[in-house]
Amino acid sequence: MSEKLSFVAPTANSPWGTYLSQVDRVVPYLGPLARWVETLKRPKRALIVDVPIEMDDGTIAHYEGYRVQHNMSRGPGKGGVRFHPDVTLEEVMALSAWMTIKTAAVNLPYGGAKGGIRVDPKKLSQNELEKITRRYTSEIGIIIGPHTDIPAPDVNTNGQIMAWMMDTYSMNVGGTATGVVTGKPLHLGGSLGRVKATGRGVFVTGREAARRLGMDLRGARIAVQGFGNVGSVAAELFAEAGAKIVAVQDHTGTIVNSNGLDLARLIPVANKEGVVAFKAGGDIVPNEDFWNVACDILIPAALEGQITAERAQKTTAKLVLEGANGPTVPQADDILAERGVLVVPDVICNAGGVTVSYFEWVQDFSSFFWDEDEINVRLDRIMMNALNQIWDTADKHKITLRTATYAVACERILMARQERGLYP
Ligand code: NAD
C-alpha cells in the first residue's frame, strides 16, 4: 500500500539497500508488531543544505550537507556527523537508520539520526574547516537541539569540530547549550572515556564473543581495517589483552607483520601520516591482500560495504567484529554464516560510542561529572547486558547475532511506535 521513496533507488549492496534487507530479515520475528515495520523503511525527516564558504584564496565554494532523522519514537535523534568526499543522502539515511537500531539495541532513550558534508576535509585549511562546520551547523540548526537531535563525531570529525558546533548553536540560541552535541572536549562538558568508548565497546563485545567461541585472546591474530578513533583504540585494547595485530589498513595502504605490529610506534605515525609511513615496522602490501592475511579476528573499522562476497569467501578469520557501520554486504553476511564465521554486528559491536555519548548528555544536563572508572564500569555493564540478551534471542530462534539484534531493537522501537499511536 505504501508508495516507494522517490529520492533514493538503493542497489543490493548500497548502504540503504543493505539496511532494508536487514530489516526484511527480522520481520518473521516481530509477531503482530510487523504491521508497523514500514515505519523503519523510511526516514522521518531528511534535510539537504547548501554550505557556502569563502576559501582562503577568496573564492566561494559550495558544499552539500545533510541531516537525516530516521526515527524518534523512543527519544531525540542521535548520531554522528561525517565529513567525507563520498557522503551522499542515501549513505546518511542508512547511517541514521543504523543509529535507530543501535540506540534501541542497547536500550538508550534515543532515536536515530546522522549527518554529513560531501567534502574532503584533508584539503581544507583549519580556517576553512571551522567555517564549513559553523555554516553547516547553522543550516541544520533548525532541526537539531539538546532535546530533539544531538550530533556527535564520526569519520573525519572530532572534539574540535564538536566544540565549533556547540558554539555556533549556542550563539544562535543565545545561551550555552552544551547538551546539543556529544564528543566535546572535556572542559566544554565532554565526558571522560568518550574518545575511547567505541573501541572499548568493540573490545568488550569481542572478548565475550571470543570466550564463547573458546578462542584465547593471548596470541590471537587480528587484522584491522581503518586505524582512526575506532580501529586504533580497539587494536590497542586487544594488544593489551595479549593479541597480535598482524595487519592494518587505512586510506594510505596496508601494512602487515605476522609477528605483530608495534602499536606504541605505529599509532603516532599513523595519526600523522597514515600507516604506510611506518615502513620500518612491517611489509607494505597491495590493499586487496589485506583480506587474505592469516588471522583469527577481523575488525572492519573504516567504511561501509568493505566485506564483499568475494572477501567473505577468502577471509581466514573465525570472528568478525564490526567496528564500522555497515561494513558487511548482505550476501557476504550469508557466506560468513555458512562458513561458520561469527559476526558481532555493528549495531551492538560499536555501540560503546553512543553509550558514553548518552552519559555525556546526562552529565551535561545534571552539571555533575563522573570519574572514568564509573564511566567504564557502566559502559561495560550496558554492553554486556545488551549482548547477553541478543545472544539468548539468537540461540532461541537459531538466527545470526545481527538478526537477533534487529529483533530485540525493532521490538522496542515498534512497541514505542504502537503505544504512541499515529498522529493525528
Ligand atoms: P576516523 O576518521 O577516526 O578513522 C577512519 C579510518 O578509516 C582512518 O584510519 C582512515 O584512514 C580509514 N579509511 C578511510 N577510508 C578508507 C579506505 N577506503 N580503506 C581503508 N581505510 C580507510 O573514523 P572513526 O570514528 O574511527 O570511524 C570509523 C568507522 O566507525 C565508521 O564506519 C564510523 O561510522 C564507525 N563508528 C564510529 C564511532 C565513533 O565514536 N567515532 C562510533 C560508532 C561507529
Side-chain angles (χ1 to χ4, degrees), residues 82 154-156 194 198 227-230 250-251 301-302 323-325 350:
R82 176 174 294 195
D154 192 72
V155 174
N156 291 328
R194 174 62 185 91
T198 308
F227 209 57
N229 177 277
V230 180
D250 74 359
H251 70 284
N325 287 307
N350 69 33

Side-chain angles (χ1 to χ4, degrees), residues 24-341:
D24 283 340
R25 287 174 183 209
V26 82
V27 172
Y29 308 99
L30 293 178
L33 287 172
R35 77 182 275 255
W36 293 95
V37 80
E38 184 67 22
T39 200
L40 295 168
K41 294 187 174 183
R42 44 192 69 224
K44 173 183 174 62
R45 191 176 282 134
L47 181 64
I48 304 178
V49 294
D50 176 34
V51 188
I53 57 165
E54 185 174 0
M55 307 295 277
D56 294 347
D57 65 5
T59 57
I60 308 292
H62 288 256
Y63 297 93
E64 196 166 293
Y66 314 92
R67 185 74 189 171
V68 177
Q69 295 168 342
H70 173 258
N71 190 289
M72 292 161 138
S73 299
R74 302 179 63 258
K78 187 85 193 82
V81 172
R82 176 174 294 195
F83 289 179
H84 195 278
D86 299 334
V87 165
T88 60
L89 175 62
E90 195 214 309
E91 182 189 41
V92 178
M93 278 168 56
L95 291 166
S96 69
W98 284 321
M99 289 307 299
T100 302
I101 303 295
K102 194 182 304 180
T103 56
V106 279
N107 212 2
L108 304 178
Y110 287 137
K114 202 84 178 193
I117 307 180
R118 196 170 167 79
V119 61
D120 184 353
K122 294 185 175 71
K123 293 192 177 140
L124 299 183
S125 69
Q126 188 77 348
N127 177 43
E128 291 162 345
L129 190 62
E130 178 171 351
K131 279 186 185 170
I132 199 172
T133 303
R134 287 186 181 278
R135 181 61 191 252
Y136 167 73
T137 307
S138 217
E139 293 294 339
I140 65 165
I142 52 173
I143 61 167
I144 63 168
H147 295 288
T148 46
D149 179 1
I150 307 118
D154 192 72
V155 174
N156 291 328
T157 57
N158 55 24
Q160 175 61 74
I161 286 171
M162 293 308 114
W164 289 329
M165 289 188 76
M166 188 277 267
D167 183 69
T168 305
Y169 181 86
S170 296
M171 291 299 105
N172 287 343
V173 298
T176 295
T178 52
V180 68
V181 289
T182 57
K184 299 178 294 294
L186 278 183
H187 48 278
L188 288 178
S191 175
L192 290 166
R194 174 62 185 91
V195 172
K196 295 200 165 188
T198 308
R200 189 178 171 87
V202 172
F203 173 70
V204 169
T205 53
R207 182 181 54 192
E208 174 63 11
R211 188 189 69 75
R212 289 187 185 233
L213 285 178
M215 183 193 291
D216 192 348
L217 283 184
R218 281 166 305 175
R221 298 159 304 170
I222 304 190
V224 185
Q225 187 206 32
F227 209 57
N229 177 277
V230 180
S232 68
V233 171
E236 259 183 321
L237 293 170
F238 277 109
E240 274 171 27
K244 283 192 296 190
I245 310 303
V246 293
V248 171
Q249 179 179 100
D250 74 359
H251 70 284
T252 64
T254 304
I255 185 164
V256 298
N257 184 336
S258 56
N259 296 319
L261 290 153
D262 179 350
L263 295 189
R265 288 170 56 224
L266 169 62
I267 288 174
V269 176
N271 285 346
K272 253 171 104 183
E273 300 166 76
V275 298
V276 162
F278 189 55
K279 288 186 186 68
D283 298 323
I284 308 301
V285 300
N287 275 339
E288 201 48 39
D289 290 0
F290 172 82
W291 305 98
N292 316 327
V293 166
C295 66
D296 303 297
I297 302 178
L298 173 63
I299 306 182
L303 300 170
E304 305 87 52
Q306 296 299 302
I307 306 187
T308 57
E310 195 191 329
R311 291 170 179 173
Q313 214 44 278
K314 58 187 179 187
T315 184
T316 56
K318 294 168 211 72
L319 176 60
V320 174
L321 305 176
E322 293 188 339
N325 287 307
T328 309
V329 304
Q331 208 191 341
D333 233 357
D334 293 341
I335 292 170
L336 292 171
E338 276 160 26
R339 293 188 57 219
V341 180

